[in-house]
Amino acid sequence: MDSKTLLLAYMRAKKYSQFQEVAADLGFTSSYISAVNKGKSQLTDATAKKMAEAAGLDVSEVLLSMAAVREEDPELKKAWYDILAKYSKGAGTAVALAITVFATPSDGPNLTAHNVYYVKLNM
């Protein structure tokens, strides 16, 4: 899960339709929330934890996933995904991780952990 996906999950959980609502709720500017939505900014772990809790998501899984997304070194990125797969212990997640990590081009924007959640939710 990347920051944008967490933002959207948070908005769904809170039944927000505007970024201004999120900004007011979390104490950020609307421009910062917009930058997160566009992938130009990443949430801090503390903010991600707060948002994951409010959205009813597994905080540890979200933080592991975000660490994987942030990592730029391919070997370390794979290590984070391996840790996430072991933590999740779910066959659906393991399959989604394999699809995400190995079936997408490494230079494209699709190599992010939020694809794991997309695939996992649509299996």
Side-chain angles (χ1 to χ4, degrees):
M1 174 172 288
D2 63 359
S3 291
K4 178 181 179 176
T5 306
L6 179 57
L7 172 64
L8 297 176
Y10 181 80
M11 289 179 72
R12 276 192 303 274
K14 292 284 203 165
K15 297 182 178 13
Y16 292 156
S17 61
Q18 303 291 319
F19 293 132
Q20 293 87 347
E21 295 169 302
V22 177
D25 191 29
L26 297 174
F28 295 119
T29 64
S30 294
S31 61
Y32 172 71
I33 297 300
S34 179
V36 169
N37 183 56
K38 293 176 183 174
K40 295 180 179 181
S41 292
Q42 292 292 317
L43 299 167
T44 65
D45 288 342
T47 301
K49 178 183 180 289
K50 180 178 180 177
M51 292 173 74
E53 289 170 342
L57 300 171
D58 182 318
V59 172
S60 297
E61 190 171 353
V62 168
L63 292 175
L64 285 169
S65 181
M66 290 185 69
V69 168
R70 289 182 191 133
E71 184 55 57
E72 294 181 12
D73 181 289
E75 289 182 31
L76 293 175
K77 184 179 281 287
K78 182 182 180 316
W80 276 115
Y81 280 114
D82 289 344
I83 293 167
L84 180 59
K86 288 176 185 175
Y87 175 81
S88 298
K89 297 180 187 173
T93 299
V95 169
L97 282 168
I99 291 168
T100 302
V101 173
F102 299 111
T104 58
S106 61
D107 60 341
N110 294 328
L111 189 55
T112 59
H114 77 275
N115 289 333
V116 171
Y117 286 87
Y118 178 78
V119 173
K120 188 173 164 183
L121 292 173
N122 289 294
M123 289 181 94

